[in-house]
């Protein structure tokens, strides 16, 4: 069957508005569309393809596992799931892992666990969940309500309750709202979707202290920042703060759907048999791929390389800005970089994205005024240079 982009509107629910071209092939950090046009991929499937497209380690792991065992459900466990959990707990603060299929589901599990823990340990009154304006935690009704973007959570009727928000990087506002009835604070260690907003110095430490003072759990949503994206396996390692619960997805599977919630043994205990679950969670194919990704990503070479790529990309963007004066600020950590547009171009990030596609480079936006770059963690230097050259042409086109 010949497939065209036009068919999309005839057969798909219109909640997405994908690009006009249809990609058909990817290799490393390059992608080709139906017409054979080549793109440098700085989007990486929205911070997912941490090893680029079709990395041999992932292809081999998937191929090997596909000939052994595809699915069993959680009525049985499986070797890849246990092996990956052992490696994840060895590499982090966590003692226990719960598997999901996406970031939203990992966060849903984290929030339900926090509520259950609070009820078990402190009683029914300890329900309040505090999160941050412009945060993003997924699209289930619980997670989208905890996310601080009413545009995403409004218009669906009554929301889950006892959820409140304060501005990110405002520890005083959190101090005013948090109390002994707070069960958890959920945050991204660096806000991704909300505009690539890093935490200010000491903010995260202050959040941790406030949680400790009021016996509230601290949940780090590392769905976007995790699995090497910021230059350490998880961003918390660089912030000097350890969360009680951490969620991971996106790069965790490198392109194969998987999510995970990591926590301590004492907290994990409160999700007893039958309290929560997922048919596909811990699927052997997903876990085998994730294990292969972890083996490559969690090495000094790759993590150091992320920092080098950050410097390189930021330098190139600064050089583009010297010529065209389009960015107010270039910020972010590792391979999660945002370029905020000046007042003159406010609200026009999508124009740069579209011009980029025309010139053969895929970028993302994070809100209306921030262009976001989330390339593969191992993107070759030559692809960074070529991609930013193409991006410069796109900038020139938008500037006119
Ligand atoms: C920080 C964060 N949390 C959660 C999610 C939701 O993940 P998923 O789309 O896999 O459900 C995202 C997706 O962009 C995210 O960036």
């Amino acid at each position: 069957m010949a497939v065209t982009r036009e068919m999309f509107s005839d057969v798909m629910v219109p909640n997405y508005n994908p690009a006009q071209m249809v990609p058909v092939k990817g290799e490393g950090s390059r992608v080709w569309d139906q017409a054979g046009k080549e793109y440098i991929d700085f989007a990486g499937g929205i911070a997912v393809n941490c090893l680029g497209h079709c990395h041999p380690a992932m292809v081999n792991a998937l191929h090997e596992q596909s000939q052994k065992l595809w699915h069993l459900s959680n009525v049985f466990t499986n070797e890849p799931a246990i092996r990956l959990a052992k490696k994840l707990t060895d590499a982090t603060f966590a003692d226990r892992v719960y598997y999901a299929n996406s970031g939203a589901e990992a966060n849903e599990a984290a929030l339900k666990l926090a509520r259950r823990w609070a009820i078990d340990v402190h009683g029914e009154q300890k329900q309040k969940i505090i999160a941050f304006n412009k945060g993003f935690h997924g699209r289930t009704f619980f997670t989208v309500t905890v996310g601080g973007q009413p545009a995403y959570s409004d218009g669906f009727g009554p929301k889950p309750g006892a959820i409140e928000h304060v501005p990110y990087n405002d520890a005083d506002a959190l101090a005013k709202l948090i109390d002994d009835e707070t069960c958890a604070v959920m945050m991204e260690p660096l806000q991704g979707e909300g505009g690539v907003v890093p935490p200010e110095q000491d903010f995260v430490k202050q959040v941790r202290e406030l949680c400790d003072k009021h016996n509230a759990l601290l949940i780090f949503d590392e769905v976007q920042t995790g699995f090497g994206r910021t230059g350490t396996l998880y961003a918390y390692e660089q912030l000097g703060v350890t969360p009680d619960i951490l969620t991971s997805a996106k790069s965790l599977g490198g392109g194969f759907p998987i999510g995970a919630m990591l926590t301590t043994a004492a907290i994990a205990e409160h999700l007893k048999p039958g309290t929560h679950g997922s048919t596909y969670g811990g699927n052997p194919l997903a876990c085998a791929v994730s294990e292969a990704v972890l083996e490559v990503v969690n090495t000094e070479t790759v993590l150091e390389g992320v920092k080098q790529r950050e410097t390189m990309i930021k330098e190139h963007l600064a050089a583009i800005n010297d010529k065209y004066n389009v960015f107010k600020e270039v910020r972010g950590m590792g391979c999660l970089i945002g370029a905020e547009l000046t007042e003159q171009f406010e609200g026009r990030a999508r124009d740069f994205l579209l011009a980029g596609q025309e010139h053969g480079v895929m970028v993302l936006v994070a809100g209306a005024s921030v262009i976001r770059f989330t390339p593969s963690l191992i993107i070759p230097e030559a692809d960074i240079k070529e991609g930013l050259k193409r991006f410069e042409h796109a900038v020139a086109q938008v500037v006119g």
Side-chain angles (χ1 to χ4, degrees):
M1 193 202 307
V3 172
T4 64
R5 170 62 177 82
E6 286 68 43
M7 286 165 70
F8 178 91
S9 322
D10 297 333
V11 294
M12 303 286 267
V13 172
N15 62 313
Y16 303 116
N17 179 22
Q20 289 308 307
M21 58 83 170
V22 180
V24 291
K25 189 180 130 160
E27 194 184 318
S29 286
R30 299 198 182 216
V31 170
W32 291 267
D33 68 15
Q34 287 177 317
K37 178 173 165 181
E38 180 213 76
Y39 303 81
I40 303 280
D41 187 1
F42 286 158
I46 318 191
V48 166
N49 301 322
C50 57
L51 299 181
H53 298 273
C54 300
H55 189 283
M58 295 174 65
V59 172
N60 290 340
L62 184 60
H63 181 69
E64 228 175 79
Q65 186 60 37
S66 75
Q67 295 181 319
K68 288 187 191 157
L69 190 66
W70 280 49
H71 178 76
L72 284 167
S73 87
N74 286 295
V75 175
F76 306 94
T77 188
N78 65 76
E79 290 180 356
I82 294 175
R83 244 187 349 251
L84 176 62
K86 173 82 176 92
K87 289 182 180 177
L88 286 172
T89 52
D90 283 350
T92 64
F93 75 95
D95 316 306
R96 298 288 184 269
V97 176
Y98 166 85
Y99 290 119
N101 312 290
S102 65
E105 285 175 64
N107 285 333
E108 184 82 18
L111 293 164
K112 283 181 73 180
L113 171 57
R115 280 271 179 84
R116 184 56 71 104
W117 165 86
I119 288 171
D120 285 353
V121 178
H122 298 278
E124 291 279 346
Q125 78 294 343
K126 199 169 173 71
Q127 305 188 342
K128 197 196 299 182
I129 290 168
I130 304 178
F132 295 91
N133 295 342
K134 294 195 178 169
F136 188 80
H137 303 297
R139 302 281 198 150
T140 65
F141 213 3
F142 201 169
T143 58
V144 84
T145 306
V146 172
Q149 304 195 46
Y152 295 151
S153 56
D154 288 1
F156 298 99
K159 296 174 183 172
I163 297 165
E164 300 193 48
H165 296 90
V166 292
Y168 196 70
N169 276 327
D170 189 343
D172 292 341
L174 179 63
K176 281 196 191 114
L177 189 61
I178 196 169
D179 56 22
D180 291 345
E181 297 192 348
T182 304
C183 107
V185 173
M186 182 176 234
M187 65 181 294
E188 294 159 86
L190 177 157
Q191 285 192 327
E193 301 296 308
V196 191
V197 181
E200 277 166 18
Q201 178 132 34
D202 288 339
F203 172 63
V204 185
K205 281 191 184 139
Q206 288 169 306
V207 176
R208 177 73 269 182
E209 281 163 18
L210 286 166
C211 285
D212 290 344
K213 186 171 160 199
H214 295 282
N215 282 320
L217 298 181
L218 177 57
I219 306 172
F220 269 12
D221 176 345
E222 293 232 29
V223 167
Q224 190 154 163
T225 54
F227 237 56
R229 177 78 28 207
T230 66
T232 43
L233 186 63
Y234 287 102
Y236 81 85
E237 298 164 46
Q238 292 175 66
L239 299 172
V241 164
T242 304
D244 300 297
I245 303 177
L246 179 151
T247 56
S248 190
K250 287 189 182 278
S251 294
L252 176 65
F256 202 97
I258 181 171
M261 173 188 73
L262 280 58
T263 189
T264 63
I267 297 168
E269 253 182 38
H270 297 272
L271 278 191
K272 295 197 166 42
T275 50
H276 193 56
S278 151
T279 299
Y280 267 121
N283 170 273
L285 295 169
C287 291
V289 172
S290 179
E291 189 191 351
V293 177
L294 179 63
E295 291 294 314
V296 179
V297 165
N298 199 22
T299 55
E300 217 175 290
T301 323
V302 168
L303 296 174
E304 271 306 307
V306 170
K307 305 257 193 214
Q308 288 158 9
R309 283 162 178 81
E310 171 186 345
T311 308
M312 203 183 298
I313 295 169
K314 283 181 172 170
E315 278 173 8
H316 274 81
L317 288 173
I320 292 175
N321 207 29
D322 285 344
K323 277 199 208 164
Y324 298 97
N325 195 24
V326 282
F327 306 135
K328 189 154 72 181
E329 191 185 18
V330 175
R331 56 183 181 240
M333 284 163 76
C335 288
L336 173 48
I337 294 170
E340 182 173 2
L341 297 166
T342 57
E343 274 78 39
Q344 196 191 343
F345 296 96
E346 211 173 301
R348 292 189 61 195
R350 197 172 152 75
D351 291 347
F352 289 84
L353 177 153
L354 292 174
Q357 276 170 21
E358 259 180 64
H359 289 274
V361 61
M362 298 156 117
V363 299
L364 295 167
V365 301
S369 301
V370 176
I371 304 164
R372 183 171 33 150
F373 302 81
T374 55
S376 152
L377 308 183
I378 55 168
I379 182 171
E381 187 176 343
D383 288 4
I384 294 180
K385 282 190 178 149
E386 175 61 23
L388 286 167
K389 195 169 96 191
R390 295 180 192 183
F391 181 68
E392 183 173 340
H393 294 318
V395 170
Q397 180 177 313
V398 175
V399 170

